[in-house]
C-alpha cells in the first residue's frame, strides 16, 4: 500500500483489532437482535425473575469466553507488542478492569452471571461497534491522512457515552435494585462499570483535542494524538 515505515509498523495492530472487533461485535449483535433475548430493547429484563443458581445460556457463555481470551491477550499485547502511546497505561488498566469484570461475573455464581453479567452483551456491543469504526479510521488515515475519517469519531460519543450509560449503567445501577433489592456484588460490579465510563470520557477528550487541532490547522494530516513521537520514547 506504499505506506511509510511508521504506518506500516502500526498497520498489523490495527488490522488485528479490526478483525477481532468486527467478528466479536457481529456475534454480540446476533445475540441482541437475532435471538429472543430482550436485553437491548429492555435492559432491566436481565433482572426479571432473577435467582441464584440460574443456568448461563451457552451462547452467552461463548461470548464471555471470547471476551476473556481477547482481553487477557490484550494485557500482554499492550505492554509488550503494540505501539506505546500516551494512554497505554490507561489502556492496560482498561483491559485489567474489563477482564476482572467479565471473569468475576462468571465466576462468582451462575446466577450472578445472568443478573449482572448479561448487560455485558450490551456493553460489548456499545464498546466494540465504536472500536470497529476507530480501527477502520486509523487504518484509512495511514495512507495519507484522509480527513473524511473524522466522520467516524462521533461513533465514540454515541456508543460509549450515550448508549453505554443508557443501556448498561441504567440497568445495573438502578433497575437491578428495583428487581432484586439484595442483589449480591452490586457495588463491586457497578464500580468497575463506572471506572470504564470514566475511561470512555478520558478517551473522548483525546478526540476533542484531535478535532480541534485539525480544525485550527495545527495538524496537516490525520495522526493519532495519543501517540508519542519517536524521539519521545525508545519503545516500539
Amino acid at each position: 500500500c506504499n505506506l511509510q515505515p511508521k504506518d506500516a509498523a502500526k498497520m498489523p495492530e490495527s488490522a488485528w483489532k479490526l478483525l477481532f472487533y468486527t467478528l466479536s461485535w457481529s456475534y454480540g449483535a446476533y445475540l441482541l437482535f437475532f435471538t429472543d433475548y430482550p436485553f437491548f430493547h429492555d435492559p432491566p429484563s436481565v433482572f426479571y425473575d432473577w435467582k441464584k443458581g440460574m443456568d448461563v445460556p451457552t451462547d452467552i457463555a461463548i461470548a464471555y469466553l471470547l471476551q476473556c481470551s481477547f482481553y487477557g491477550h490484550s494485557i500482554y499485547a499492550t505492554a509488550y507488542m503494540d505501539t506505546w502511546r500516551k494512554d497505554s497505561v490507561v489502556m492496560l488498566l482498561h483491559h485489567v478492569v474489563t477482564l476482572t469484570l467479565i471473569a468475576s461475573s462468571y465466576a462468582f455464581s451462575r446466577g450472578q452471571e445472568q443478573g449482572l453479567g448479561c448487560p455485558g452483551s450490551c456493553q460489548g456491543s456499545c464498546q466494540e461497534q465504536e472500536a470497529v469504526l476507530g480501527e477502520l479510521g486509523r487504518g484509512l488515515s495511514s495512507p495519507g491522512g484522509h480527513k473524511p475519517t473524522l466522520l467516524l469519531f462521533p461513533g465514540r460519543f454515541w456508543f460509549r457515552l450515550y448508549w453505554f450509560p443508557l443501556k448498561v449503567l441504567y440497568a445495573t445501577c438502578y433497575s437491578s435494585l428495583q428487581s432484586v433489592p439484595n442483589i449480591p456484588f452490586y457495588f463491586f460490579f457497578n464500580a468497575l462499570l463506572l471506572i470504564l465510563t470514566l475511561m470512555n470520557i478520558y478517551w473522548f477528550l483525546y478526540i476533542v483535542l484531535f478535532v480541534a487541532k485539525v480544525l485550527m490547522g495545527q495538524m496537516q494530516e490525520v495522526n493519532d494524538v495519543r501517540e508519542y513521537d519517536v524521539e519521545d520514547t525508545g519503545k516500539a
Side-chain angles (χ1 to χ4, degrees):
C1 298
N2 297 320
L3 299 176
Q4 296 296 320
K6 180 181 178 181
D7 294 327
K10 294 182 294 183
M11 184 60 71
E13 175 188 342
S14 290
W16 154 243
K17 291 180 179 178
L18 176 62
L19 173 64
F20 175 82
Y21 287 138
T22 300
L23 295 176
S24 181
W25 176 82
S26 298
Y27 185 65
Y30 161 76
L31 292 177
L32 292 175
F33 302 113
F34 297 97
T35 64
D36 294 331
Y37 299 124
F39 303 146
F40 186 81
H41 300 290
D42 185 20
S45 64
V46 300
F47 300 105
Y48 298 164
D49 300 322
W50 180 90
K51 63 182 67 175
K52 290 185 177 181
M54 297 172 65
D55 290 333
V56 181
T58 302
D59 49 6
I60 291 181
I62 291 174
Y64 276 85
L65 176 62
L66 293 174
Q67 293 292 333
C68 279
S69 62
F70 175 75
Y71 284 105
H73 159 75
S74 295
I75 294 174
Y76 174 84
T78 301
Y80 298 107
M81 297 174 61
D82 297 344
T83 301
W84 194 253
R85 300 180 173 94
K86 297 176 183 178
D87 68 336
S88 290
V89 173
V90 179
M91 185 69 73
L92 279 171
L93 178 61
H94 171 273
H95 296 335
V96 171
V97 170
T98 303
L99 183 60
T100 302
L101 180 65
I102 296 172
S104 298
S105 67
Y106 194 88
F108 281 151
S109 71
R110 293 184 300 175
Q112 184 64 25
E113 160 75 4
Q114 180 72 5
L116 278 176
C118 287
S121 300
C122 290
Q123 172 194 346
S125 180
C126 293
Q127 302 274 56
E128 290 174 352
Q129 175 60 37
E130 184 279 328
V132 170
L133 298 176
E135 296 303 332
L136 180 61
R138 294 186 189 100
L140 291 176
S141 68
S142 296
H146 301 297
K147 291 187 178 181
T149 56
L150 287 171
L151 299 177
L152 298 175
F153 292 127
R156 179 172 287 266
F157 174 82
W158 182 259
F159 290 104
R160 295 198 177 192
L161 296 182
Y162 176 70
W163 266 3
F164 181 74
L166 181 67
K167 299 293 185 179
V168 179
L169 293 183
Y170 175 79
T172 60
C173 292
Y174 177 75
S175 300
S176 61
L177 291 180
Q178 302 302 308
S179 299
V180 189
N182 296 319
I183 191 167
F185 306 111
Y186 172 85
F187 292 103
F188 175 77
F189 283 101
N190 282 295
L192 294 179
L193 289 170
L194 290 173
I195 290 174
L196 290 180
T197 303
L198 292 177
M199 292 182 186
N200 289 337
I201 295 173
Y202 169 80
W203 278 308
F204 183 72
L205 293 179
Y206 267 113
I207 294 178
V208 172
L209 175 63
F210 169 85
V211 173
K213 285 188 174 183
V214 171
L215 294 179
M216 295 174 64
Q218 297 180 11
M219 296 178 63
Q220 299 301 317
E221 62 180 23
V222 178
N223 293 318
D224 194 337
V225 295
R226 301 173 304 147
E227 293 184 0
Y228 288 113
D229 294 332
V230 175
E231 59 267 20
D232 291 339
T233 179
K235 186 171 184 177

